[in-house]
Amino acid sequence: MNNKIFAKSVQVISADGQNLGVMPTSQALQMAMDMGLDLVEMNANAPTPIAKIMDYGKFKYEQKKRASEARKNQKTTELKEVWIKPFIEENDLNIKLKKVFEFLTEGNKVKISVMTKGSKKVLARGKDAVPELFARVIETIGERGNLESKSKPDERTKSIIIAPAK
C-alpha cells in the first residue's frame, strides 16, 4: 500500500475500475494522493504488478462487513449424541427416537451410541444384539435421515452417525 510498493512500474486501475495502463509507481502514487485516495497493490505476482487507486479504510471496512454477513448466514451443524442400551424396550426406544427426530429436523447430525459390556454383549443365541438394534433404528428413521458412518465392529462402544436428509 502506498509507499510500501517496491515495484518500479505498476498497472494502474482507477477508483471507478477503469484501466489507466502501466506507469511508474511514483507517478501512480502521486495520482492517488491528488485524488485523496490510496494506491493498493492488488496482485504482486503478475509480470507487471497491478495496483488500484481506492480508499483503503473503506475497502477494509466493507470487506469486514461482508465477512461478518457471511458468518451470520452460515448454519453450523452440530453432532448430537443419544445413548441407547443394547436391550432397550420398544417404548424407551421410541422416546429416544423422538429426540433423534428433533435433532435431525434442526439440521444437526446425530450419533447413536450403544455401550456393550459383560453378559449384555451377546444374546443367548450367540449373536451380537447391537446390529439388530441399529437395523431397527435405521428402519424407523427411514427417509428423515441418511446413515453416514458406522463404528468398527471390534469397538466396545458401537455407534452410527445419521445426517439429516436433504
Side-chain angles (χ1 to χ4, degrees), residues 62-76:
E62 287 174 354
Q63 203 174 32
K64 187 177 176 183
K65 199 172 171 183
R66 275 194 302 269
S68 172
E69 190 69 29
R71 266 194 310 276
K72 187 168 56 171
N73 294 333
Q74 187 177 22
K75 171 69 173 114
T76 56

Side-chain angles (χ1 to χ4, degrees), residues 75-84 93 95-114 134 137-138 141 144-151 158-165:
K75 171 69 173 114
T76 56
T77 60
E78 293 183 39
L79 180 65
K80 305 285 188 169
E81 188 167 17
V82 175
W83 284 89
I84 299 176
L93 181 63
I95 290 169
K96 296 281 186 176
L97 287 176
K98 269 187 193 175
K99 202 66 181 166
V100 169
F101 292 143
E102 188 179 306
F103 291 146
L104 289 173
T105 54
E106 291 172 3
N108 297 315
K109 293 181 181 181
V110 182
K111 180 178 182 179
I112 300 173
S113 302
V114 178
F134 283 153
V137 167
I138 292 169
I141 290 173
R144 297 184 199 179
N146 304 323
L147 180 65
E148 196 170 84
S149 67
K150 289 184 177 182
S151 63
K158 292 176 178 59
S159 61
I160 57 173
I161 296 177
I162 298 175

Side-chain angles (χ1 to χ4, degrees), residues 124-154:
R125 298 187 301 264
K127 291 182 181 175
D128 198 1
V130 178
E132 294 172 12
L133 177 63
F134 283 153
R136 269 192 341 186
V137 167
I138 292 169
E139 181 183 317
T140 307
I141 290 173
E143 296 290 318
R144 297 184 199 179
N146 304 323
L147 180 65
E148 196 170 84
S149 67
K150 289 184 177 182
S151 63
K152 295 177 185 159
D154 57 338

Side-chain angles (χ1 to χ4, degrees), residues 24-38:
T25 306
S26 58
Q27 183 183 349
L29 187 58
Q30 186 61 44
M31 189 183 297
M33 285 182 179
D34 290 343
M35 292 181 195
L37 299 172
D38 300 308

Side-chain angles (χ1 to χ4, degrees), residues 1-2 8 11 26-27 39 45 55 58 61 65 68 91 120-122 134 142 154:
M1 190 173 103
N2 292 338
K8 290 183 175 139
Q11 181 170 350
S26 58
Q27 183 183 349
L39 183 67
N45 298 331
D55 184 355
K58 184 178 178 183
Y61 171 75
K65 199 172 171 183
S68 172
N91 288 334
K120 292 182 179 179
K121 190 172 184 180
V122 178
F134 283 153
D154 57 338

